Amino acid sequence: MTTTRRIVAAAAGTIALAFAVSSCSSGGGDAVETLDPNADLSEQTLTVSIWADYSPEDLAEKFEAETGVKTTIVNHTTNEDIVAKLTASADSGIDVAFVSGQYAQALGEQGLLAKLDKGLIPNEENLYPEALDLAYDPGNVYSEPYAWGTTGLCYRPDLTGYDPTSWNDLLNPKPELVGKTTMLSTDRWLAEPALKAAGNSINTTDDDELAAAKEQLLKTKSTLLAYDDTTFYSKLVSGEAAMVQAWDGWCNYGIAEDPSIEFVVPEEGSDLWVDTMTVLESSKNKEAAMAFLNYILDPEVQTWVAENILYKVPNKAAMDALDPALIESYPTLGITVDELMEQEAIVDLGEDSLKYVDLNAEVLATN
């Protein structure tokens, strides 16, 4: 099994997004382009931008063998990286871009994404119905979901001495756990524990609620081992940390090395993050792009995501086909759709995203 990791993919927040998209023209994207269902795909080419190690290494070759479309895969590191590229010019040369849901929302609202031709994506029927009505893109007008999950507490019961249930277990740790916990530092996820513990929305733009969250986070800072977005599971395995804030899939990387590690969604609730596939309005190969999205939504293709990067996929047929032994080994893969839907979808906040940028900067900079 491959346990490759993308670097800050769903984890990427909204830094600079408001500036980036607001600088773009809003032309295109509103009209429904008529695509040719009988187009000769072998005459089209495709450039796909995706996070490294987030798809099979032979994806381009297999898609080309299936459709005749000569395909090039390029990688981006973060949502911010690809957004900057897509907004730098009228034609980035990218046909299909993988971005997290709130970024698809922002790019779609700015006219940078093509409306999907659902007649060319029949495999959408493999998705859970709930995956068609998510807050960032109801009806999947501009995007198709690729992977989804939530955020919680990843911990070693033998080191904590108990099973945490609340964000307050992280925000106000027991004395024996001081210096043994980590938090995510990316803007929306940094604020999440404090907002949820106070009963507030992770999408709040209320100044008083954000000020209270900042106050709590500054109090918590002195209790942390570190802010860590990439190696927190390794700190659990080594015993350097006892409890960390973690995305469910990334907790699995720790579980792969130490099966005693556990994951819990705090009782106050958490977020629902989604990574999506989008087609650029500037693409001159839209039939091929739609065919690519349809190919990915084939259950046999998308099962790879769960089996190799240990993320849940919103593809019911793919999840139904998973080996039960895999879910037994990695219980977060067994989080149900109903349980995910209880969480709060992260949405783009437009210019108010900068409030989180400021909060993040102030918390991280304060000694």
Side-chain angles (χ1 to χ4, degrees), residues 32-37 114-122 124 140-141 144 279 286-287 290-291 293-294:
V32 179
E33 185 175 352
T34 301
L35 300 180
D36 180 3
K115 289 187 175 179
L116 301 183
D117 186 334
K118 300 302 183 70
L120 300 182
I121 314 176
E124 187 186 74
N140 293 356
V141 175
E144 293 287 5
V279 176
K286 290 192 177 66
E287 286 88 355
M290 301 299 167
L293 268 57
N294 189 61

Side-chain angles (χ1 to χ4, degrees), residues 123-134 136 139-140 144-149 272 274 297 299 302 306 311-322 327 332-341:
N123 280 334
E124 187 186 74
E125 68 179 14
N126 294 318
L127 296 175
Y128 292 102
E130 293 86 347
L132 298 171
D133 194 30
L134 297 170
Y136 64 86
N140 293 356
E144 293 287 5
Y146 179 75
W148 63 359
L272 165 64
V274 185
L297 294 182
Q302 201 164 29
Y311 277 33
K312 293 181 296 299
V313 295
N315 189 314
K316 183 178 187 304
M319 290 300 292
D320 287 346
L322 278 187
I327 297 175
T332 65
L333 290 175
I335 295 175
T336 68
V337 173
D338 287 344
E339 290 170 330
L340 275 184
M341 291 302 110

Side-chain angles (χ1 to χ4, degrees), residues 101-172:
Q102 63 269 35
Y103 290 82
Q105 176 187 355
L107 292 171
E109 290 175 350
Q110 290 296 318
L112 296 175
L113 300 182
K115 289 187 175 179
L116 301 183
D117 186 334
K118 300 302 183 70
L120 300 182
I121 314 176
N123 280 334
E124 187 186 74
E125 68 179 14
N126 294 318
L127 296 175
Y128 292 102
E130 293 86 347
L132 298 171
D133 194 30
L134 297 170
Y136 64 86
D137 185 17
N140 293 356
V141 175
Y142 294 107
S143 63
E144 293 287 5
Y146 179 75
W148 63 359
T150 188
T151 309
L153 299 175
C154 187
Y155 65 101
R156 277 183 52 174
D158 61 318
L159 298 181
T160 59
Y162 75 110
D163 294 318
T165 59
S166 166
W167 286 117
N168 281 310
D169 289 301
L170 177 68
L171 294 168
N172 304 293

Side-chain angles (χ1 to χ4, degrees), residues 3 5 9 31 74-75 97 137 149 205 249 273 300 325 340 347 360 362:
T3 54
R5 292 93 173 174
V74 298
N75 293 140
D137 185 17
T205 59
W273 60 259
E300 290 188 11
L340 275 184
V347 298
N360 197 40
E362 292 172 17

